[in-house]
Amino acid sequence: MTTTPAIEVGAELPPLRLEPISRTTLALFAGASGDHNPIHIDLDVAKSAGLHDVFAHGMLSMAYLGRLLTGWVPQRAIRSYRVRFAAITPVHGAPTCTGHVVSVEDGLATIELAVTLADGTTTLTGDAVVEID
Amino acid sequence: MAIDVDKAKALRLAPVTVTVERGRLRFFAKAIGESDAVYSDVTAAQRAGHPDLPVPPTFFFSLELERPDPFGYLDKLGIDLRRVLHGEQSFTYHSLAYAGDTLIVRPRIVDAFSKKGGAMEFLIKQTDITRDGELVAEATSTIIVRNPEVKA
């Protein structure tokens, strides 16, 4: 039994706090997502590009934010979902996903979304439009 | 290493036909720590009114990577994959897709431009995902190429 959340302007989605992203998570996500770019999983390649270490796939953070959305409304209600990747998420970064409703109009709610790290860096901003009853 | 804009826009990316696999969706759910059983347990999905495991919102991006050389188009444009960043990603959804569905993924490069005197270059890629000729989802990716040796 699921309950329909109150969807009104200002409503906050329950934040989704993730554990620090491990190298194992990056390896699993590379395989599961099909993004095998070695820059995310191979320290040698990251160093050859002048980086100190590997960093997380942007789409991993977008998938976490997707969990925030589908944990709040059934997926079939999501009409659109977009993000801008504002900063790299280093390995061991601990993302928190947040969202709040900024408009409700004609049966559609717009949710502003963000992912931030423990040090305050915003790594991703975006929005989603969801259908409401 | 400037991208040839005309060449980028003229590049034809082959469509991909993908049959969505349950096991792959379970693996994806595990990798992103998804705890909602709807995304990994067929019985839970069916109880929630789905015919099978649903394709989660961002997995549509992964469908396009189901080709032998998913970054080959960057090679063709002379782009070093290590310099590539994902700038933006958007999805528009028309219906849900499920494990067992056969989807056709058609990407195309719709724009290419540079900023900061060539220190950053951008590719815009649009992708249609269809099932039996019906649009299921549309995706747009902004790909950024960093050229740190170019001084703005």
Side-chain angles (χ1 to χ4, degrees):
Chain A
M1 190 67 198
T2 50
T3 52
T4 308
I7 298 184
E8 52 193 28
V9 173
E12 303 245 349
L13 281 64
L16 178 64
R17 293 187 176 85
L18 284 311
E19 294 293 313
I21 295 172
S22 66
R23 295 177 199 277
T24 299
T25 294
L26 294 181
L28 291 177
F29 187 74
S33 72
D35 183 347
H36 302 170
N37 185 346
I39 203 92
H40 301 296
I41 45 177
D42 187 330
L43 186 55
D44 299 336
V45 172
K47 285 186 171 165
S48 78
L51 303 173
H52 297 296
D53 209 333
V54 296
F55 60 96
H57 308 74
M59 290 305 290
L60 175 59
S61 291
M62 192 175 187
Y64 287 147
L65 256 186
R67 281 179 54 195
L68 179 83
L69 284 173
T70 58
W72 198 62
V73 291
Q75 189 182 332
R76 57 172 63 84
I78 305 172
R79 287 275 194 89
S80 66
Y81 172 29
R82 60 179 182 175
V83 303
R84 192 175 73 83
F85 301 101
I88 277 174
T89 301
V91 62
H92 307 313
T96 295
C97 302
T98 57
H100 63 278
V101 179
V102 290
S103 80
V104 177
E105 212 176 331
D106 300 329
L108 297 173
T110 302
I111 303 160
E112 220 167 73
L113 300 161
V115 181
T116 50
L117 300 180
D119 68 2
T121 307
T122 298
T123 54
L124 195 155
T125 59
D127 58 55
V129 175
V130 304
E131 221 168 286
I132 53 177
D133 297 327
Chain B
M1 247 206 10
I3 298 173
D4 181 331
V5 174
D6 292 332
K7 189 176 173 187
K9 288 193 200 171
L11 202 62
R12 292 283 164 264
L13 284 76
V16 196
T17 302
V18 191
T19 300
V20 181
E21 297 166 4
R22 279 182 186 169
R24 184 61 184 284
L25 294 184
R26 285 196 194 99
F27 183 19
F28 189 80
K30 176 185 176 176
I32 67 167
E34 178 58 79
S35 52
D36 185 344
V38 160
Y39 293 100
S40 51
D41 177 342
V42 177
T43 309
Q46 288 172 343
R47 216 181 289 133
H50 301 292
D52 210 308
L53 300 181
V55 173
T58 62
F59 192 78
F60 290 101
F61 181 84
S62 294
L63 297 173
E64 196 176 323
L65 300 172
E66 294 302 302
R67 59 170 85 229
D69 188 9
F71 302 120
Y73 73 100
L74 296 174
D75 282 343
K76 283 183 189 160
L77 295 172
I79 296 168
D80 181 341
L81 186 58
R82 295 172 302 172
R83 294 168 169 239
V84 169
L85 287 175
H86 202 166
E88 294 178 29
Q89 181 64 41
S90 70
F91 298 99
T92 302
Y93 304 105
H94 302 284
S95 63
L96 291 183
Y98 294 100
D101 285 357
T102 296
L103 304 173
I104 298 178
V105 183
R106 286 190 182 84
R108 60 195 182 278
I109 292 169
V110 294
D111 203 4
F113 52 91
S114 71
K115 286 187 181 173
K116 298 184 181 174
M120 290 179 99
E121 296 180 292
F122 296 77
L123 286 178
I124 314 292
K125 185 161 56 68
Q126 273 181 19
T127 303
D128 290 344
I129 297 123
T130 56
R131 177 184 47 212
D132 300 330
E134 299 268 332
L135 203 52
V136 171
E138 297 161 87
T140 305
S141 306
T142 302
I143 293 146
I144 304 177
V145 185
R146 295 171 300 135
N147 298 314
E149 71 283 0
V150 176
K151 299 290 175 229

